[in-house]
Amino acid sequence: MRVAVRIDGVVQGVGFRPFVYGLATRLGLSGHVGNDASGVFAEVEGDAAATEEFLRAVAADAPPLAAVEGVWSHEIAPTGGVGFVIVASPQGDAASTLISADPATCGDCLREMADAADRRYQYPFINCTQCGPRFTIVRGVPYDRPLTTMAGFAMCDDCAAEYADAADRRFHAQPVCCPACGPRLRLAGPADAAAAPDDTVDLLAEAANRLRDGQVLAVKGLGGFHLATDATHPTASATLRARKHREDKPFAVMVPDLAAARELCEVSDVDAELLTSRRRPIVLLPKLPGTPVADAVAPGNRRLGVMLPYTPLHHLLLAGVGRPIVLTSGNVSDEPIVYRDEDVDRLDTIADAVLTHDRPIHIRTDDSVVRSFRGTAQVQRRSRGYVPEAVPLDFDVGRHILACGAELKNTFCVAKGRHAFLSHHIGDLKNFETLRSFTEGIEHFRALFDVQPEVVAYDLHPEYLSTKYALDLSDVDVVGVQHHHAHIASCLADNRESGAVLGVAFDGTGYGTDGTIWGGEFLLADLTSFRRLGLIDSVSMPGGATAITQPWRMAVAYLDRAYGDELPELDVVARNAADWLAVRSMARSGVNAPSTSSAGRLFDAVAALLGVRDAINYEGQAAIELEQCADPSERGGYHAAVTGTDPLRVSGVDLVRACVADLRAGVSRGVVAARFHNGVADVIARVCDRLRASTGVGTVALSGGVFQNLLLLGATVDALERREFRVLVHSRVPTNDGGISLGQAVIAARQAVAADPAHPAVMGVQNSAS
C-alpha cells in the first residue's frame, strides 16, 4: 500500500526530514519526504504493518526539537518505486508551517568543538540538525538554506557530503558550516586594526584577556549584539553602567555551567531545568550570601539574572575568561538591541572592542527572562528560544488577526487558525528606532506565517504609537481593546481557559473606558467582554507622567488624601520640602493631575514614604525595590476598607495611614513594607470574596505588571486559595504588558466571530476606512 502523509507543527529546521528518511528506511518503506510552506509532506509505500508503524512513530518518536501538531494520511495508488529520498522543496506556496526557535548548542556539537582532532575544533559556529540558529536567520519559508542568511556561504565539499549523507547528524542541517566555508570571527576596537579572520583561537584569547582586564566588549550573538564585561571585576560593571547610562537596572550574568550557577545562587530543580533547557533563558535566581559578583551588577537586588551559554562562541569565550561575565543587551539606553553590523558604531562610546562575525542576523531577538514560582516556570520576557513558537488556542480565530500591543514592553501578535504567534520582545515604543523594529517585525511575521490581517486590535490609549499604527491601516476592521481586559484575556489564553473569571489586573497605567488612568482593577471578564466591578479608590497623579518617574509625588497625593492639612512630620516631606506645597496644590486642583486607580502608583507612594525611592531611572524601580526591602518572614498585614457596591472601592489611603502609623512608632522599614504587601493581598482576597457572592464566579485570574512582584503574588495566591478560589496565573506568556497583545488578539477574534458580518460595528468592531 502507498500512503500520502502530511505532518504539521514545528517540523522544519529540527531534523524532521532526516528523521523521516531514517524511519522509512528502517521500516523498509519506499517513497519520499520534503518541506513545503505548510510543513512536511511524505509518501510511503510498503506492507500495511510497516506503514501503520510509520504513521505511529512519525509523531511519537519525533526529534526533540519538533512539535508535531497533526499527522494526516490517505491511501493513494502504489507506484512500485524503490528506495526512499528527500526531495527538493517546492516554491511559491502560501506559508503555513511553524518555524522553530533558536535552540542552544547540543552536547554532540560541544564534544566535537572540544576535540582537537575534529575539523570543527574550537569553531564558534558549529551546529547540526539539533542546534544552532533558526528564527534569527530565517528570511522566508520553507526553511531551506537559500531562504536563510547562510545563503551567502557556499558549502565546502566536506560539509556538502555531511549535508547529503542520510546517516550523518548534519543531514539537511541548513546552517551547516565549518572553518573552511562558514562564518568567521573578527575582533576590532576603535584604535585596532582588524585581526586576521582565520585566527579564531588567538581572537578568542585576546577577547578573553580584554574582559579579564575589565574592558567592555560588544559581542555579536544569535539575535543581536551584547555588551560583555567581567562580572567579578571591581569596576568593570560600574564603568559599563556609566557608559550605557543605566544607573540601577540589574544586568544579567552568564556562567559556563550549572555548577557555576550554583556557586552564585540558589537553584531549584525547576530553575536547573530552565537553565539547561534548549531555550537557555535568563533565569531570575535568589543570590547566595557572599557571591563574588560585583555589587554594581545587580545593586540592591536579592536576585540575579543568570544564563548558561547558548552558542558555541559563548562556550569558548566563557572557557577563556574563566569567570562569570555580564551579558546585557547591546543598545543605547531606550533603543532596541543593535543587530546589524552597519549599526554597531552606535556602541562605540560604550564598548572598548567589538567581537563580531560575518553571518547576518535577519531579525533582532533579545534574551528571554523567566523565573520559577511554586514549581512552575513563569516567562517574564518571551523572546529568544521561545519565539516564534505558537501559543496554541482552543478555538479557530477565523479571520486573520493582528494585535498591536501596548506601549511599554511591547510585543505584537498575529493569529490564524488555532495559533497565536506572539512576537519577540520589541521594547518601549517611545522612539523611531523601536517603532521601526515594531513595523519590521510585523512585516516579517506576516510573511513567515502568511497572515494578511483582516482584523487589527489596538489599545484604547490614543497616544500610543501602536494604536496610531493600527488606526492608520486601511482595508481592515479595527477593534479597540481595553488594556486591563486584555491583561485578563491574556491570562485566560495562557491557561487555555475562556472564562468567566474574576480578573484582578494590577499594573501601572492603562487607559480606562471613562478616560481616566486605570491600574487597580477587579473585572468580571471572559474572552469577549468585561465589567468593572471594583477598583482601588482613585487619587490624583500630580504632574501626570512626571509622577511615574518621581514617586514622591504619589506620596503627596495619598498623604494629602489621608491627612489633608494635618500632615504629620515625615522624612518624605522633609526630603521634598521645596516642592511639596506646589505639588499638593496641583493634586488638589486636578490641573495636570489626572485621576488614577493604579496599583503601581500606590506601591510608588509607599516606596517614597518608606524612603526606598523618591525618583526612578527605570520603569517599576520603586515597586521592585520596595519588594526587595520587605521582610519575607513578617506575617502581619494592614487592613484596607472596601466600600461602595457597583463598583467596590478599595481604600489605598487606609494602607498608607497604617504605614505612617508604624513608621512613627519606630517599626522597621522592612516590616512595614511586608505588612503593606500582605495588606494588599488580603484586600484582593476580600474583594474577590464579595464578588463571588454577587456573581457566582469562583475562579480568579491575576495579571498585570504588579504581579511580577513574587512577594505579592505568593501572598495573594495563598489568601485566595485559603478562601477556596481557583487561581490562574501566567506561565507561558508575560504577566506584564509583554503579554497584552495575546489578550488583544483573542478578544478581537472572539468579537469578530460573534459579530454579524453584515454589521461590523457590532461588538465594538468598526471599519477603519470610515
Side-chain angles (χ1 to χ4, degrees):
M1 65 182 297
R2 190 176 183 91
V3 175
V5 186
R6 162 69 58 186
I7 305 106
D8 289 347
V10 180
V11 291
Q12 293 191 14
V14 295
F16 206 90
R17 287 176 297 174
F19 157 70
V20 170
Y21 177 95
L23 176 63
T25 302
R26 177 170 58 82
L27 294 172
L29 297 170
S30 63
H32 61 258
V33 64
N35 277 347
D36 62 16
S38 298
V40 168
F41 62 89
E43 291 183 13
V44 294
E45 185 171 336
D47 66 63
T51 303
E52 289 176 8
E53 173 60 14
F54 176 89
L55 294 175
R56 182 204 67 80
V58 79
D61 301 334
L65 298 182
V68 175
E69 295 195 351
V71 178
W72 289 266
S73 64
H74 63 274
E75 194 168 343
I76 57 176
T79 66
V82 295
F84 197 89
V85 296
I86 294 179
V87 297
S89 302
Q91 301 297 317
D93 294 338
S96 60
T97 191
L98 304 183
I99 304 297
S100 168
D102 301 273
T105 311
C106 71
D108 288 334
C109 283
L110 289 177
R111 281 186 286 274
E112 289 178 349
M113 191 172 69
D115 183 357
D118 194 279
R119 70 190 187 93
R120 293 186 176 89
Y121 175 59
Q122 292 200 337
Y123 182 54
F125 306 99
I126 188 171
N127 68 83
C128 69
T129 55
Q130 294 306 307
C131 68
R134 299 291 193 273
F135 170 64
T136 51
I137 65 169
V138 169
R139 295 187 292 109
V141 291
Y143 176 70
D144 285 323
R145 194 177 182 104
L147 290 178
T148 73
T149 62
M150 286 296 294
F153 297 91
M155 282 184 275
C156 66
D157 290 344
D158 288 337
C159 285
E162 291 172 327
Y163 183 89
D165 182 357
D168 196 279
R169 200 175 81 253
R170 295 186 172 87
F171 183 44
H172 279 248
Q174 302 308 324
V176 65
C177 59
C178 72
C181 65
R184 297 183 177 186
L185 280 182
R186 184 170 67 91
L187 177 66
D192 297 332
D198 55 349
D199 293 337
T200 299
V201 175
D202 292 342
L203 287 177
L204 289 167
E206 174 64 17
N209 287 335
R210 287 175 180 258
L211 289 172
R212 282 195 299 268
D213 288 343
Q215 290 192 22
V216 175
L217 263 62
V219 181
K220 188 176 182 181
L222 268 181
F225 283 86
H226 285 102
L227 292 166
T229 197
D230 181 355
T232 67
H233 193 280
T235 62
S237 293
T239 298
L240 175 56
R241 286 196 178 282
R243 293 178 184 177
K244 198 179 179 186
H245 306 293
R246 179 167 164 165
E247 296 176 37
D248 300 302
K249 193 173 183 180
F251 289 141
V253 170
M254 179 175 277
V255 296
D257 51 35
L258 188 57
R262 287 190 162 122
E263 292 176 2
L264 303 181
C265 299
E266 297 175 19
V267 181
S268 69
D269 290 345
V270 174
D271 295 328
E273 290 178 10
L274 291 168
L275 284 166
T276 58
S277 72
R278 63 181 174 86
R279 303 183 188 280
R280 294 292 167 98
I282 298 169
V283 183
L284 301 178
L285 302 170
K287 281 195 292 191
L288 291 173
T291 174
V293 170
D295 290 341
V297 172
N301 203 305
R302 294 174 182 165
R303 291 182 172 262
L304 187 65
V306 178
M307 60 179 155
L308 301 191
Y310 55 85
T311 70
L313 177 57
H314 292 144
H315 282 279
L316 293 168
L317 194 58
L318 265 292
V321 176
R323 59 192 70 160
I325 63 171
V326 165
L327 209 64
T328 189
S329 297
N331 61 339
V332 180
S333 185
D334 297 327
E335 290 188 359
I337 187 171
V338 172
Y339 75 107
R340 295 187 178 103
D341 290 301
E342 56 266 33
D343 295 331
V344 75
D345 58 358
R346 301 178 74 87
L347 305 178
D348 281 353
T349 59
I350 305 175
D352 297 299
V354 179
L355 184 62
T356 187
H357 57 77
D358 55 354
R359 184 182 69 208
I361 298 168
H362 187 68
I363 195 80
R364 61 163 57 92
T365 313
D366 285 90
D367 294 315
S368 295
V369 181
V370 303
R371 71 182 182 195
S372 61
F373 175 71
R374 301 190 173 181
T376 61
Q378 289 189 323
V379 175
Q380 305 295 289
R381 183 169 76 193
R382 189 177 184 273
S383 206
R384 179 198 47 78
Y386 292 85
V387 174
E389 293 175 6
V391 177
L393 302 175
D394 287 335
F395 65 98
D396 191 314
V397 300
R399 303 163 75 187
H400 288 192
I401 309 290
L402 166 64
C404 296
E407 179 176 67
L408 299 180
K409 300 178 175 66
N410 177 270
T411 63
F412 60 85
C413 182
V414 297
K416 62 184 288 191
R418 299 172 73 90
H419 294 115
F421 301 98
L422 193 65
S423 80
H424 50 296
H425 171 76
I426 301 296
D428 297 346
L429 286 181
K430 292 185 174 182
N431 55 55
F432 172 76
E433 285 298 324
T434 312
L435 179 63
R436 186 174 72 172
S437 179
F438 169 78
T439 57
E440 288 176 349
I442 289 174
E443 292 308 308
H444 188 51
F445 269 58
R446 287 180 58 178
L448 279 186
F449 303 113
D450 190 36
V451 171
Q452 304 302 323
E454 301 166 275
V455 179
V456 178
Y458 64 92
D459 192 278
L460 294 180
H461 198 300
E463 295 304 314
Y464 283 179
L465 295 179
S466 56
T467 296
K468 293 179 178 181
Y469 171 87
L471 295 176
D472 281 344
L473 297 175
S474 58
D475 300 320
V476 296
D477 291 331
V478 292
V479 180
V481 178
Q482 200 282 322
H483 189 90
H484 300 95
H485 184 203
H487 265 307
I488 301 305
S490 173
C491 187
L492 287 171
D494 193 348
N495 287 276
R496 304 190 78 162
E497 299 264 349
S498 58
V501 295
L502 299 176
V504 183
F506 276 19
D507 65 0
T509 301
Y511 196 82
T513 55
D514 59 0
T516 65
I517 299 171
W518 292 8
E521 310 307 312
F522 297 85
L523 310 177
L524 176 64
D526 58 22
L527 295 181
T528 303
S529 60
F530 78 96
R531 284 176 53 209
R532 190 190 198 193
L533 301 184
L535 67 149
I536 296 174
D537 206 11
S538 298
V539 297
S540 295
M541 277 179 65
T546 303
I548 299 174
T549 58
Q550 297 179 13
W552 71 271
R553 290 172 176 258
M554 292 309 305
V556 172
Y558 269 101
L559 289 169
D560 189 52
R561 182 71 65 86
Y563 298 102
D565 292 333
E566 304 299 321
L567 183 65
E569 290 186 9
L570 296 166
D571 288 345
V572 66
V573 180
R575 290 195 306 270
N576 298 282
D579 298 310
W580 191 275
L581 293 179
V583 171
R584 188 183 70 175
S585 296
M586 188 184 300
R588 289 178 174 182
S589 71
V591 176
N592 193 26
S595 178
T596 182
S597 60
S598 166
R601 302 292 79 80
L602 173 59
F603 274 73
D604 283 353
V606 173
L609 177 63
L610 269 59
V612 172
R613 179 65 59 173
D614 282 349
I616 65 170
N617 53 64
Y618 67 88
E619 192 256 337
Q621 183 179 8
I624 290 168
E625 293 183 359
L626 181 65
E627 178 192 5
Q628 296 298 317
C629 86
D631 181 352
S633 67
E634 172 61 34
R635 294 293 175 261
Y638 300 134
H639 181 80
V642 180
T643 60
T645 54
D646 189 14
L648 299 176
R649 294 180 180 273
V650 171
S651 176
V653 170
D654 283 355
L655 296 172
V656 170
R657 283 198 192 99
C659 290
V660 170
D662 268 358
L663 281 177
R664 299 189 74 198
V667 177
S668 73
R669 188 173 73 169
V671 170
V672 173
R675 290 175 179 174
F676 168 73
H677 279 81
N678 294 338
V680 173
D682 171 70
V683 78
I684 289 172
R686 287 190 287 115
V687 169
C688 288
D689 238 351
R690 291 179 59 170
L691 294 179
R692 175 169 55 187
S694 62
T695 65
V697 175
T699 299
V700 176
L702 305 177
S703 189
V706 169
F707 287 113
Q708 288 182 283
N709 181 319
L710 274 177
L711 182 61
L712 177 67
L713 180 63
T716 302
V717 171
D718 286 344
L720 289 167
E721 289 182 343
R722 282 195 297 268
R723 290 166 171 80
E724 299 185 346
F725 279 100
R726 178 168 171 259
V727 184
L728 305 178
V729 298
H730 285 265
S731 59
R732 297 178 298 166
V733 300
T735 188
N736 58 36
D737 282 6
I740 282 280
S741 60
L742 175 63
Q744 291 175 341
V746 294
I747 290 169
R750 281 298 180 92
Q751 290 188 356
V753 168
D756 182 346
H759 299 88
V762 176
M763 304 301 292
V765 180
Q766 63 185 91
N767 192 295
S768 65
S770 61

